[in-house]
Each structure stands twice: as structure tokens, then as C-alpha cells.
Amino acid sequence: MKWMGRFLLSLAMCGALSGFAQASLPNVIVILADDLGYADVGFHEVVADGVHTPNLDRLAESGVVFRNAYAASPVCSNSRLAFSTGRYPQRWGAYFYGQGGLPTTEQTIAEMMREAGYRTMKIGKNHLNRGAKEDPMKHGFDHWLGFTNHSWDFNLLSEKDVEAYEKKEAGSIAKAKMAPIGPLTRDNGEPASFENTNTTEVFGRESVSFIKTESEKPFYLQLEFNAVHTPLTRAPNEQLRKKYGIPDHPFDRDAKVWPYPYWDPVAQPEYNEWYDQTCHLGIPDPYGRKIYLAHLELMDSVVGQVMDTLKEEGLDEKTLVFFSSDNGGSDQSYANNGPVNAYKYCLMDGGIKVPMVVRWPRKFKAKTIDAVVTHRDIFASLSEITGVAPRKPLDGESLIPLIKGDVISLHDEEAMFWDSGKKRQNWVVREGDWKLVYREESYDYQAYELDENGLVKSALRTVPLATGLQLYNMDADPGELNNLSTSHPERVEEMKALYEKWRVQMADPVRGKKATIIQVKL
């Protein structure tokens, strides 16, 4: 089998590279944004109006920019599972939200890095659909600070905020499970309460502190922001609120009523109704795009703080920095995917095509690469750099030969697959420039539009997603506008057969919270 050949080759490469790797191991920082729009970074060819990302642009100017980078899933949890393991999460039944979790049988990047002699830390979001190995302290991290939910309130991070909710109505915090309120979690479950700040700033300070920690060991830092994910109900701080002209929504813990956009468990007892209004475009926020841009700018500034700290500590040249987003941009958070088709949740490119940069000044020259790559390739790349072989066959390839110019493509000789399972009845085969899409049922999603002042219009635009088999040539038609399935029936059948062969190698879907023992297919 082809993957077994790759596995044996990787073992040989790691053995051959181990001397080189041990002599010059880089520090490694992985940075993931959350639901970032493809046109919402300044280093892309098409940049949305109002985007201000000078620090990400600085990272890209001195790094390797991948123009055709893909997440493994159109939703965060499954994408993060693939990134963390370098493997298709469908192998253990993780197709969509709530499925698969992280089995104890799967090795993570952090475990590999610790085996290579790194000190490790995870900061930020850790949404992996539960499972037996959900706890970051079981992933190979020495320390962590963050949350395990799919989102978190950006500003209400204090135990006093929890007390205010419980005082107003006992049990209200338990209802706020889609966008929880209150302290974050540190290490082995210790609550970490913060006042007068936001998650982005907290994650930045923790990252800087970790980088500055004195140690003879190199470090591995996995920094996963919840920006720019919902709930984006207000500006992250006063400075950015004023810059973008966003209305002030102060939170008074003692107020009799907390007005919208805050959830008040007495005035609005149906929490899910509030969540739909604020996070699913139930009530379009005129300032939604501006709030998104403010959070994006703050995240960018924190990335700048991390980069500046590397220079101040004399670590810039010997630190590999990876930046990407967990999946495509979401209209629900007012992201902008530019010319890329559709949005998060679906398998058109808007759901899975992501910004991606790798920077290592000591070894990599700045360049732009058009070859198709995926998040799964990061595990294989770090395996080659450290000389530590993976414990299982990977579904990714090392980016190093591509970056060095030894090859011009990584995945043209083998098809790649996406599958959202029975919940969405949506799967994809990518083979070279050809992309075959299947969707069982039609779906109309709601997209926001802006007026001449950059405010979100009250009326949403309906965008239909087609059903059935669709074939696109992504080189000639990157916007997926021209379905060629009827003119290339033989290619459709060939690619469909590839999908069916791949699918039988994967496990059946399984709920993450029920998956204590998971049958994993190699």
C-alpha cells in the first residue's frame, strides 16, 4: 500500500536526519486563527476592505506563503484533530462536530516534540470533540492554558462574572454552554480568572512568558486563538472600539437587566435563542464586520508581540513559526473569503481553503508556493526536522522538499479526501487540479452584505449550494463556477471510485463523548 511505503520512507529519513536535527533543533511556534476569512489577511492577492494585519504580513514577507493550503475539515474540531495527528480523523470515526474525539491510540505532534526533547505548552482553544484523550495534558504538553469548548466569551473571564450570572439566576452558567462565561483552565484543571482583559490578550501574555522561560531545551508552543470565532458581540477593548466606531456595550455585573447583545437569563430565558441571534445571524449586527476587524487587528498585534519577543530574546533566526486558520471563514462571524466559493461548514473551497505561512529564517528563503498542501503535512514536516519517526503511518507529507525546491508538488500522485459524514452528506475528492464534490441535499446559506459605510445590511443574501456530483478544474476555475461533470463523465466515475475505496478504509462515525475505546483503522 502507498501509505506503508511512505511510512517506511519516513522512518528511514528520520534516521538519516537525526544527527542534523539534534545539532540544530529549532524552536517551533504553531499559531492557529479561528474561522479566519481567506481575504482577511494582507498578504493575499485579494484583500478585503478594512483588513489591517501588518504583523501577519511581516511574517509572510520573510516566510513561505502557501497559496493553495487546505484544512482537513470545514469545522474546527475535526480540522484540529487532523492537524494534531497528521492523519485523517475519519480513521477513528471523526467526520463532523461531536464525533470521534481523540483516541488514546493516536500520537500528537506535542508528544512527538516532547520525545524530541522539547518543552511544550498549549495556549488557547482545545476543541477536539471530547474522547478519551481530550485533556491537553494527555497530548504531550507540559503546560496549558485555555478552554476545551468550541467557543468562549472573549471578555467575561472572571469568577466574578460567573457569580453575577448565578446570583441573577442559579444554574444560568450551565445553560451558557455554547459560549461559556468565566475563568479559563490551567494545567490540571486549575481555574484561571482574569479581569479587564480578553482571551486574545491573555493568550498573548502567556505565550510571551513561555518563550522567555529560561531552559536548555528548545520549545514547542501551540497557540490557538478563538479570534475571530463567534460570539463577536462587542469590540475586544476600548482603543479598538473607538478606532472602528463600534457602540459601547459595558457589562455591569450589578445591573438589573443586561441588554442585548449580552445574554440575560431572566430577560431572555431561552439561551439558544440568544445564541442564534448573536452567532448565527438571527439578528444581523450592523457593526458585525467592524467588530470582526477589531478582533482581527488585536490578534495580529499579539502575533507581532510574539515575533518581537523572539527578536528580543535572540531566538528569531532559530524559531520556526507556522500560521494558519482551522478552517474557512464564516459569514456568521462576518468573515470575508473573497473570491473563494462559499463558507465554513461546507466542502466548497470557502470551507476548507485557508491562509498558511511557514517561517524559519535560518533555513527557509522567503517565497510563494502554489502547490496544494494540507494541515496534515505539518506533522510530517516536524518529524523530518526533529528526526523523530511517527508511531503510525501519516496521511500528510513533509513540506521540506517542497520548500527547498527539490519537488514542485506533494500530492499530485495521490488523491486527497474530505468527508463530513452522514450529518452533512458532503464529500470531496481532490486529484491534481480536479475536484469532485458530492452533496446529498441542497442547502441555502445566509450571507451578510455591507452598505457604503461598512455596516452590515439588515437583509441577508441567500446563497444556494448545489446537490449531486460536481466536477471542477481548480486551476482553470478556482471559484468553482463551472461544473464539468456532464462533459467529463469518465473522470467523475474514476474519482468517485477513489472515494469509495478510501471510505471503506475509514471507520464508521462515532460520537466523541461515547468513544472510550475506538476502533482505529490504520
Side-chain angles (χ1 to χ4, degrees):
M1 297 178 69
K2 189 174 291 186
W3 60 261
M4 181 57 73
R6 290 205 311 266
F7 184 49
L8 295 174
L9 179 61
S10 70
L11 290 175
M13 291 178 65
C14 288
L17 286 165
S18 58
F20 161 78
Q22 291 299 324
S24 56
L25 285 176
N27 302 302
V28 177
I29 301 176
V30 167
I31 304 174
L32 283 181
D34 199 345
D35 291 1
L36 179 63
Y38 193 78
D40 287 332
V41 290
F43 58 84
H44 276 171
E45 293 176 345
V46 176
V47 182
D49 290 342
V51 168
H52 184 62
T53 57
N55 295 293
L56 290 175
D57 301 347
R58 174 163 55 112
L59 184 73
E61 287 170 3
S62 56
V64 181
V65 178
F66 295 89
R67 294 293 190 200
N68 285 290
Y70 286 85
S73 171
V75 295
C76 58
S77 51
N78 306 74
S79 173
R80 292 166 196 265
L81 284 168
F83 169 83
S84 296
T85 62
R87 286 160 52 84
Y88 285 114
Q90 290 88 351
R91 291 192 180 280
W92 58 90
Y95 289 78
F96 208 67
Y97 278 134
Q99 294 180 346
L102 182 61
T104 56
T105 52
E106 291 299 309
Q107 180 190 26
T108 68
I109 289 179
E111 287 176 306
M112 178 185 68
M113 299 301 280
R114 189 153 69 178
E115 184 179 340
Y118 283 73
R119 61 185 180 93
T120 60
M121 185 170 189
K122 183 167 189 174
I123 297 173
K125 180 171 176 174
N126 182 70
H127 183 214
L128 298 176
N129 292 345
R130 303 189 184 182
K133 200 173 176 177
E134 179 187 35
D135 186 347
M137 298 301 284
K138 297 179 180 179
H139 299 177
F141 292 107
D142 301 325
H143 299 284
W144 101 282
L145 173 74
F147 59 91
T148 59
N149 207 63
H150 92 293
S151 69
W152 205 267
D153 192 286
F154 283 95
N155 296 81
L156 303 184
L157 306 177
S158 172
E159 182 62 38
K160 294 180 180 179
D161 297 319
V162 174
E163 293 171 356
Y165 267 86
E166 290 299 292
K167 181 179 179 180
K168 178 160 285 196
E169 182 177 89
S172 58
I173 285 297
K175 294 180 181 180
K177 56 186 177 181
M178 296 300 291
I181 294 163
L184 302 171
T185 300
R186 186 184 295 278
D187 289 349
N188 294 304
E190 299 90 343
S193 184
F194 300 92
E195 291 274 354
N196 302 316
T197 187
N198 56 72
T199 55
T200 304
E201 293 172 344
V202 169
F203 298 157
R205 288 195 297 269
E206 288 287 329
S207 297
V208 168
S209 176
F210 177 72
I211 293 169
K212 288 184 174 181
T213 301
E214 292 187 11
S215 175
E216 294 181 355
K217 293 182 177 182
F219 64 77
Y220 174 71
L221 171 62
Q222 206 163 302
L223 169 57
E224 302 189 31
F225 293 104
N226 57 322
V228 279
H229 192 289
T230 58
L232 297 174
T233 56
R234 55 204 179 278
N237 59 35
E238 184 66 8
Q239 178 183 356
L240 288 168
R241 184 191 73 78
K242 291 180 178 178
K243 175 179 178 178
Y244 285 92
I246 299 166
D248 192 11
H249 295 295
F251 182 67
D252 179 359
R253 293 175 180 139
D254 298 320
K256 185 175 182 180
V257 176
W258 295 321
Y260 187 85
Y262 292 99
W263 173 58
D264 187 307
V266 176
Q268 191 176 18
E270 291 297 326
Y271 174 82
N272 289 338
E273 178 184 56
W274 171 85
Y275 187 79
D276 179 72
Q277 291 170 347
T278 56
C279 301
H280 284 212
L281 294 176
I283 299 178
D285 185 345
Y287 293 90
R289 177 62 179 174
K290 292 180 180 293
I291 295 173
Y292 173 99
L293 291 173
H295 279 270
L296 174 60
E297 182 170 337
L298 180 60
M299 182 184 71
D300 178 83
S301 70
V302 167
V303 172
Q305 293 167 20
V306 169
M307 294 172 63
D308 290 343
T309 301
L310 292 176
K311 284 192 174 183
E312 292 165 4
E313 298 295 310
L315 302 173
D316 185 60
E317 288 290 317
K318 53 186 177 183
T319 301
L320 185 155
V321 179
F322 167 85
F323 172 80
S324 191
S325 178
D326 59 347
N327 46 247
S330 171
D331 271 271
Q332 295 170 357
S333 59
Y334 305 98
N336 190 322
N337 283 332
V340 182
N341 185 22
Y343 78 124
K344 175 185 177 181
Y345 302 118
C346 76
L347 290 175
M348 308 309 286
D349 262 21
I352 53 177
K353 192 172 185 180
V354 292
M356 182 166 142
V357 178
V358 177
R359 179 183 184 270
W360 185 10
R362 176 180 287 180
K363 295 293 182 181
F364 299 158
K365 294 182 179 179
K367 61 165 56 175
T368 298
I369 292 177
D370 291 325
V372 174
V373 298
T374 82
H375 285 169
R376 290 188 300 272
D377 299 328
I378 301 304
F379 196 123
S381 304
L382 294 178
S383 176
E384 179 172 345
I385 289 170
T386 61
V388 177
R391 298 174 194 165
K392 287 188 174 184
L394 300 178
D395 293 312
E397 304 277 357
S398 173
L399 296 167
I400 308 304
L402 188 63
I403 293 172
K404 293 171 68 175
D406 296 337
V407 299
I408 60 173
S409 67
L410 283 188
H411 300 287
D412 280 357
E413 296 183 3
E414 186 173 20
M416 294 186 294
F417 305 91
W418 289 261
D419 191 345
S420 295
K422 295 180 180 179
K423 285 188 175 182
R424 288 280 168 154
Q425 297 285 316
N426 192 191
W427 53 259
V428 159
V429 180
R430 178 74 185 256
E431 188 178 30
D433 291 332
W434 292 98
K435 179 180 178 181
L436 182 67
V437 180
Y438 176 76
R439 173 177 284 275
E440 177 73 19
E441 297 179 354
S442 61
Y443 183 76
D444 292 343
Y445 78 89
Q446 301 297 303
Y448 74 92
E449 293 186 306
L450 300 178
D451 65 16
E452 63 277 6
N453 298 313
L455 299 178
V456 176
K457 296 180 180 179
S458 58
L460 300 173
R461 177 170 57 95
T462 299
V463 181
L465 295 176
T467 59
L469 288 166
Q470 306 155 56
L471 180 69
Y472 301 98
N473 185 304
M474 300 305 294
D475 180 55
D477 179 26
E480 299 170 302
L481 301 174
N482 186 19
N483 181 3
L484 301 175
S485 59
T486 56
S487 58
H488 292 76
E490 292 182 359
R491 178 166 289 277
V492 169
E493 290 304 312
E494 289 173 1
M495 295 180 71
K496 182 181 176 183
L498 289 173
Y499 165 76
E500 292 170 347
K501 182 179 179 180
W502 172 84
R503 179 61 183 83
V504 299
Q505 299 175 49
M506 302 297 112
D508 291 331
V510 60
R511 292 288 296 173
K513 64 182 179 181
K514 296 180 179 179
T516 54
I517 300 177
I518 303 175
Q519 296 298 318
V520 180
K521 294 192 176 184
L522 288 178

